[in-house]
Amino acid sequence: MNSLLTVLLTGALILCTLISLYFLLLQMQQKQHNRRQLQLDGLIKLNIIRKLLTRMQQHRGLSNGILHGEVDLKARLDPVTEQISQLNIEIIDMYPDLLENERWQAMTDHWQRLSIDYFNLNIRHNLEQHNKLVLNLLYLINDIAFDNKLHQLNNENSESIQFLWQELLFTAESIAQIRALGTGIAAAKVCTRAERIRLNYLCQSLEQSINIQNNPDYLLKISHLLKVIDSEIMISRPTIKADRFFNIATESIDMILVHFDNQLNNVEYQLHTSTGINKYAA
């Protein structure tokens, strides 16, 4: 009788242990699933806010050219302004929780004022306000990435993808600031001592960043940009057209953004595959 009772108690204990392990496994799987869903949401959010960042940077460069006298650039600025407004609407439609985010609130308030009044600002103030706006967006991207645990994701080289927003986007921003300054200089057809000092600093920072990344494609394209700056911008009487310089600088920025987008899309694809969701299926 005692032996039977012992067997029953042992069996019940084993069963309880197995049930506990089963529920623990389910709980772990659910946590993993929730984390992947959070990361997928973060990747999509990062993608669309990156597009907003790019348009803000374009607005800075074009508006600086206009304030320096190249009024023909307004034909390019108006569509960019409209795209920014549309992206703001789309982002809030997708992520209404951002309305409670302090960085987002500050950015949208700042943008509403700047988009209406930029032509009333002096040149230096316009650049400063745009720089603050862009920096706030870069910090917002960083916050979103960490809130959505994107720093835990690796690319195909087993590297954390946090270099995408902590290095690549800041490298693109360095070039975007160079583009804004150079576009203004080309529009005014004069390079002041202050502008030359600022450009020198930005170009040196860019060279250091590119050397660290050691990407031959970057080196080739950006070396061409730096040569144009040295020979056609940082001279007493620049003759290069403002829109031409804007386009040359944009080619370097686009090259970096293509790499950013490809890396982001590859990681998103891997996550969809691991969660059993294939949005890429026909």
Side-chain angles (χ1 to χ4, degrees), residues 48-229:
I48 191 168
I49 294 180
R50 196 284 294 161
K51 291 181 173 63
L52 177 63
L53 171 72
T54 299
R55 296 293 179 265
M56 292 288 192
Q57 291 167 327
Q58 291 171 349
H59 192 279
R60 173 179 52 197
L62 293 168
S63 64
N64 194 46
I66 292 168
L67 290 177
H68 275 87
E70 189 60 66
V71 293
D72 289 347
L73 290 176
K74 196 169 188 308
R76 296 181 64 171
L77 182 68
D78 289 342
V80 170
T81 304
E82 179 59 34
Q83 288 165 359
I84 292 172
S85 298
Q86 187 59 41
L87 279 168
N88 280 329
I89 294 171
E90 290 178 16
I91 290 169
I92 288 302
D93 283 346
M94 293 171 63
Y95 303 103
D97 57 299
L98 276 175
L99 289 171
E100 306 301 320
N101 185 290
E102 290 184 4
R103 287 199 191 279
W104 178 265
Q105 291 172 356
M107 186 279 298
T108 51
D109 289 345
H110 197 167
W111 165 247
Q112 286 173 359
R113 296 193 306 272
L114 190 58
S115 62
I116 295 171
D117 295 334
Y118 83 89
F119 48 84
N120 291 322
L121 301 176
N122 62 48
I123 291 166
R124 181 178 175 181
H125 197 196
N126 178 61
L127 278 179
E128 287 176 350
Q129 292 304 308
H130 273 94
N131 288 346
K132 289 178 181 178
L133 186 64
V134 169
L135 187 61
N136 191 36
L137 261 180
L138 285 166
Y139 286 151
L140 175 62
I141 286 172
N142 188 70
D143 291 347
I144 288 171
F146 278 91
D147 288 346
N148 287 267
K149 303 186 185 304
L150 299 187
H151 57 287
Q152 297 177 1
L153 296 173
N154 294 333
N155 60 15
E156 65 273 11
N157 298 322
S158 299
E159 302 167 330
S160 170
I161 65 167
Q162 65 183 13
F163 80 94
L164 292 176
W165 59 87
Q166 291 186 342
E167 293 181 27
L168 285 191
L169 288 187
F170 276 90
T171 299
E173 167 59 4
S174 292
I175 304 173
Q177 287 193 35
I178 290 170
R179 178 178 62 186
L181 276 170
T183 301
I185 291 168
K189 303 189 185 310
V190 60
C191 185
T192 67
R193 183 174 181 274
E195 288 170 332
R196 192 176 294 112
I197 291 171
R198 180 61 178 161
L199 268 180
N200 264 320
Y201 170 77
L202 287 170
C203 289
Q204 288 173 9
S205 298
L206 177 60
E207 285 183 289
Q208 291 175 0
S209 174
I210 295 305
N211 288 334
I212 290 171
Q213 293 172 27
N214 197 27
N215 185 309
D217 294 332
Y218 292 179
L219 289 171
L220 185 64
K221 182 74 73 175
I222 292 173
S223 291
H224 173 64
L225 171 63
L226 294 174
K227 286 178 182 176
V228 171
I229 293 169

Side-chain angles (χ1 to χ4, degrees), residues 6-24:
T6 301
V7 169
L8 289 173
L9 288 173
T10 302
L13 182 61
I14 292 172
L15 181 61
C16 287
T17 302
L18 289 174
I19 292 172
S20 297
L21 287 173
Y22 173 74
F23 281 107
L24 180 61

